[in-house]
Amino acid sequence: MITVKEIEELAPYLKDKRHAKRKEEQELDELFYTDKFRVPWLKDEEEENYVVRRGLGFKLVNSPVNHLITDNPQVFRASLKSEVAVHEESAKRVASEMNRWVKILLRMNPNPFKAFPHFLMRRGEAWIHILPNNAFNPDDTGSLPFVLATPD
């Protein structure tokens, strides 16, 4: 088990070197994605008379993501003990409930199934935050106890 002293020694390295370098690289990648990178060897860059912005970085990142099939995700659950019929039925019920949840999540804006791979390709990392739904109503079949958020 890691001790408090080891954590305190490791924290500056993680914060100042790893995290800072990762953010620096992501900001550089974002400049190419948004097509706002500098072209230092051109003399008149401020007026952008010679720079042609074609959005190639945007196309390079988004074209593989657009080919991912995220329109109809489905959940499957294998039974832990396949020889017992009760476990098979339980696995089917869990998969059925999860597929109901997925159909509700597909109606969210932004769609988490489309946003997650987009952010993953764009920045090299993506996060899905599971937030509690304060407006959850157990009697409403269209209500979920959680909300998925994909921060930008």
Side-chain angles (χ1 to χ4, degrees), residues 26-85:
Q26 286 178 347
E27 289 168 1
L28 179 65
D29 292 345
E30 186 72 17
L31 289 175
F32 283 98
Y33 180 79
T34 57
D35 217 0
K36 295 180 181 174
F37 58 92
R38 290 184 43 99
V39 185
W41 55 85
L42 295 177
K43 296 178 183 175
D44 194 14
E45 185 183 347
E46 295 302 320
E47 295 178 21
E48 296 190 19
N49 291 334
Y50 300 101
V51 180
V52 177
R53 305 289 184 177
R54 301 196 58 191
L56 185 61
F58 179 82
K59 292 175 188 172
L60 284 172
V61 170
N62 286 341
S63 61
V65 172
N66 292 337
H67 292 300
L68 295 176
I69 300 171
T70 56
D71 292 334
N72 189 21
Q74 295 184 4
V75 177
F76 298 98
R77 184 176 188 280
S79 172
L80 297 176
K81 298 178 181 175
S82 60
E83 66 274 355
V84 182

Side-chain angles (χ1 to χ4, degrees), residues 100-117:
R100 185 182 73 80
W101 286 9
V102 164
K103 286 180 184 174
I104 295 169
L105 292 171
L106 279 172
R107 295 191 309 246
M108 286 179 61
N109 190 16
N111 184 337
F113 299 104
K114 292 189 182 291
F116 183 80

